[in-house]
């Protein structure tokens, strides 16, 4: 096993020490790789893949996820959750796992912006892309560790970086440990409590798109299955997917 894969394995802890991990120097997208390998029957869940850089990194809502070498952690985890599990719970467990891992290794405390973006000092430092496939779910995680030399491209939006010295392979293993622990017990009560405590949109006015129209609403909470509870002039609703904003790139409250 490669030295970097050993670091991932060590951080996974004894419970998950035997699961396959692979660290690539470059790939198209770690999510795409796991999707293809699983479809071809070459791998089975659980499986952890990292890459130093991605040539076709993908984000939510069809966006590109810029993934240069040397500044970020790009990883995907293939899991085989129970067939009836709610997608929202996987999302919550993933966001909480990344938050806990970053806090454990750096002392920094990112905040969670529903659904599953992590913010630090008002800037997005991590995005998560969960994709369902025939044989399970792939959870892709991109963490900005350093600001790239030329800065973040405009398409990255309100992007920022942790800007701390951290071993990205130790971070990958620690994230996977928290996430796999959560998926094993499916103890979402604990994760939801953590999620709510670190989700500062509660009590704020947000904007979101519905039926191609921009709407605004007050966030009243997060439901037990990870939905965003909102209130507007038509009553109470729960958002299950999509993206919300605090308005004109103003994420200073996060
Ligand atoms: C988002 O912010 O919209 C989600 C970004 C997810 C990026 C990660 S990087 C590792 C994995 N591979 C991908 O192509 N995307 C995810």
């Amino acid at each position: 096993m490669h030295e970097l894969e050993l670091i991932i394995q060590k951080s996974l802890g004894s419970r998950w020490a035997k699961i396959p991990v692979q660290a690539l120097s470059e790939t198209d997208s770690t999510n795409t790789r796991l999707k293809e390998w699983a479809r071809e029957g070459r791998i089975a869940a659980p499986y952890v893949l990292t890459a130093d850089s991605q040539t076709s990194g993908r984000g939510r809502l069809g966006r590109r996820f810029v993934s240069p070498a040397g500044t970020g952690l790009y990883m995907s985890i293939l899991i085989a959750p129970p067939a009836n599990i709610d997608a929202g719970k996987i999302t919550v467990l993933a966001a909480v796992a990344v938050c806990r891992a970053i806090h454990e290794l750096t002392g920094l405390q990112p905040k969670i912006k529903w659904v599953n973006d992590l913010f630090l000092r008002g800037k997005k430092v991590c995005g998560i892309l969960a994709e369902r496939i025939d044989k399970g779910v792939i959870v892709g995680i991109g963490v900005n560790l350093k600001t790239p030399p030329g800065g973040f491209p405009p398409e990255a939006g309100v992007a920022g970086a942790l800007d701390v010295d951290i071993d990205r392979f130790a971070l990958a293993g620690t994230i996977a440990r928290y996430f796999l622990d959560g998926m094993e017990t499916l103890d979402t009560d604990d994760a939801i409590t953590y999620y709510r405590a670190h989700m500062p949109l509660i009590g704020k006015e947000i904007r979101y798109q519905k039926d191609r129209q921009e709407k605004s609403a007050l966030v009243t909470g997060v439901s037990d299955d990870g939905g965003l509870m909102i209130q507007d002039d038509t009553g109470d609703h729960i958002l299950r997917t999509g993206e919300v904003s605090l308005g004109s790139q103003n994420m200073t409250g996060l």
Side-chain angles (χ1 to χ4, degrees):
M1 191 180 255
H2 195 281
E3 184 193 332
L4 302 174
E5 291 159 355
L6 283 172
I7 300 174
I8 299 176
Q9 200 182 50
K10 194 164 160 241
S11 306
L12 271 163
S14 52
R15 189 169 181 193
W16 304 108
K18 292 212 163 46
I19 74 165
V21 301
Q22 191 173 162
L24 300 174
S25 55
E26 183 173 279
T27 191
D28 48 359
S29 147
T30 52
N31 269 34
T32 308
R33 278 306 94 230
L34 289 191
K35 203 183 277 188
E36 273 189 29
W37 293 346
R39 197 180 52 218
E40 292 162 1
R42 287 169 59 183
I43 59 168
Y47 197 100
V48 176
L49 178 68
T50 68
D52 290 347
S53 66
Q54 301 182 118
T55 52
S56 305
R58 295 186 289 110
R60 290 179 64 237
L61 308 171
R63 296 189 191 119
R64 210 159 73 89
F65 189 80
V66 183
S67 318
T71 58
L73 166 66
Y74 317 112
M75 69 180 289
S76 299
I77 308 169
L78 171 65
I79 49 164
N84 58 352
I85 190 174
D86 206 283
K89 289 188 173 171
I90 299 177
T91 298
V92 165
L93 287 168
V96 168
V98 182
C99 248
R100 285 189 156 137
I102 290 174
H103 189 251
E104 179 180 313
L105 296 188
T106 67
L108 297 170
Q109 183 59 71
K111 293 173 183 166
I112 304 169
K113 172 177 167 273
W114 187 87
V115 181
N116 53 11
D117 288 338
L118 299 195
F119 273 68
L120 190 70
R121 307 174 204 107
K123 299 277 170 72
K124 175 171 164 176
V125 294
C126 168
I128 300 174
L129 173 66
E131 298 183 292
R132 208 173 262 281
I133 56 167
D134 266 3
K135 292 174 181 157
V137 172
I138 294 162
V139 175
I141 298 157
V143 185
N144 300 327
L145 302 173
K146 300 270 176 213
T147 305
F152 288 99
E155 67 196 275
V158 280
L162 299 183
D163 277 326
V164 281
D165 280 325
I166 182 172
D167 184 319
R168 66 179 183 279
F169 299 99
L171 180 60
T174 309
I175 290 172
R177 165 164 51 83
Y178 276 116
F179 181 59
L180 293 171
D181 281 350
M183 287 304 306
E184 176 99 330
T185 60
L186 287 179
D187 177 5
T188 41
D189 287 353
D190 169 62
I192 277 283
T193 303
Y194 185 100
Y195 189 100
R196 287 180 180 131
H198 296 92
M199 218 291 291
L201 294 183
I202 297 172
K204 299 228 162 66
E205 284 286 337
I206 49 111
R207 297 222 296 257
Y208 68 103
Q209 295 263 340
K210 189 169 180 232
D211 304 330
R212 299 195 180 174
Q213 280 190 333
E214 179 131 318
K215 307 247 180 196
S216 55
L218 174 73
V219 177
T220 54
V222 176
S223 64
D224 288 347
D225 55 2
L228 191 71
M229 300 161 72
I230 57 167
Q231 193 174 66
D232 63 16
D233 46 15
T234 64
D236 292 315
H237 312 278
I238 298 187
L239 299 182
R240 299 279 168 203
T241 56
E243 196 159 76
V244 301
S245 74
L246 281 171
S248 65
Q249 307 273 299
N250 177 9
M251 296 294 175
T252 43
L254 296 182

